[in-house]
Amino acid sequence: MLPSPAVNSHRHDFVAVLEQLYRERTLTPYTAGRTIPLRLNEVLIVCRGVVQLYTIQQDGSETLLGLAGPSMPVGLPLTVVDPYWATALTDVDVLPLPMTEIESSPLLMAGICRHLMLRLQQSEAWLAISGKRLVADRLRQLLLLIAQDFGQVETCGVRIPVKLTHHQLATAIGTTRVTVTRLLKEFKEEGWLQTQQRYLIIQLEQLHNSSWSRMYA
């Protein structure tokens, strides 16, 4: 089950507020794969697309920390992780807002607070996934969670509209790319996962039976 109409209403209301307050302001576009600069006293509102959030370990490896979609706030004021990076996973448009401007606007504060709650829910869900003993369970639950957050319902199932590499999935659950490749093949053989043009598609029944179906109610 994807986010409820009430949740989508909250998101659309926030976008409407942004459009009303900043109609004359130009959004900053980034093409897929580009690094998005982050500044100490600035929050970015994702207005279109999906942003990948990650950190870099001492050995140079990346750890995927989360994904931010439309209306979600990202930025250095919202994290204590260092280093902290953001990359456009798809083509994105972001609206940069100085913290002083946010703090002086009750409408912005209220909208951002709501979406920070959703980011917190996502972060705790990712932590819960990392505690699962079996790698197969971690990968299955991660895919279901991403579909819950960003999935698009189609006749063939729920399409995950972002192309996450096997390496990115592996860093998110603490395993190897080879293991992810093997498990994805097994999931397809089980019948609840398929791919079309490199996009993952999950059977809707699998999402209905997922523990994440209670999220964002």
Side-chain angles (χ1 to χ4, degrees):
M1 174 172 150
L2 297 174
S4 67
V7 171
N8 285 329
S9 176
H10 279 299
R11 293 176 178 174
H12 293 156
D13 289 347
F14 185 41
V15 171
V17 168
L18 292 174
E19 290 176 347
Q20 179 180 352
L21 293 176
Y22 302 100
R23 189 167 299 167
E24 298 179 357
R25 192 171 297 190
T26 302
L27 301 180
T28 305
Y30 294 94
T31 55
R34 283 194 59 189
T35 297
I36 300 174
L38 302 176
R39 298 176 177 85
L40 285 175
N41 296 307
E42 181 180 78
V43 169
L44 303 178
I45 306 298
V46 181
C47 295
R48 178 180 69 95
V50 179
V51 173
Q52 170 191 339
L53 306 170
Y54 63 98
T55 188
I56 298 177
Q57 306 296 343
Q58 291 184 348
D59 62 1
S61 62
E62 296 180 3
T63 299
L64 184 61
L65 299 174
L67 302 173
S71 299
M72 292 288 186
V74 300
L76 296 181
L78 308 178
T79 184
V80 294
V81 176
D82 184 24
Y84 188 77
W85 297 83
T87 299
L89 193 56
T90 65
D91 291 348
V92 301
D93 290 322
V94 299
L95 176 65
L97 296 175
M99 282 299 300
T100 53
E101 191 170 0
I102 295 172
E103 292 167 350
S104 64
S105 170
L107 285 175
L108 281 177
M109 288 290 285
I112 288 175
C113 179
R114 168 63 189 171
H115 288 84
L116 278 177
M117 289 170 61
L118 297 177
R119 284 282 314 281
L120 176 61
Q121 289 178 341
Q122 182 195 80
S123 297
E124 291 194 343
W126 283 49
L127 284 173
I129 289 171
S130 67
K132 292 185 177 295
R133 185 174 62 85
L134 298 179
V135 177
D137 288 342
R138 296 203 297 270
L139 181 58
R140 180 183 295 105
Q141 292 301 316
L142 177 65
L143 294 177
L144 292 174
L145 180 59
I146 294 174
Q148 171 76 29
D149 283 346
F150 304 103
Q152 299 172 349
V153 179
E154 300 181 354
T155 55
C156 55
V158 179
R159 179 188 296 267
I160 297 178
V162 292
K163 295 179 180 178
L164 289 166
T165 67
H166 293 189
H167 173 71
Q168 288 170 319
L169 292 171
T171 65
I173 61 172
T175 188
T176 65
R177 180 186 58 80
V178 173
T179 298
V180 166
T181 300
R182 174 178 59 80
L183 288 173
L184 290 177
K185 181 179 178 181
E186 292 180 4
F187 294 164
K188 293 175 187 177
E189 292 172 352
E190 292 172 4
W192 62 269
L193 181 72
Q194 58 180 300
T195 57
Q196 288 185 1
Q197 299 178 336
R198 291 184 58 204
Y199 289 104
L200 296 175
I201 299 176
I202 294 175
Q203 294 302 308
L204 191 58
E205 182 180 355
Q206 190 77 14
L207 267 179
H208 280 284
N209 296 331
S210 164
S211 60
W212 309 128
S213 64
R214 299 189 301 273
M215 292 184 64
Y216 310 122

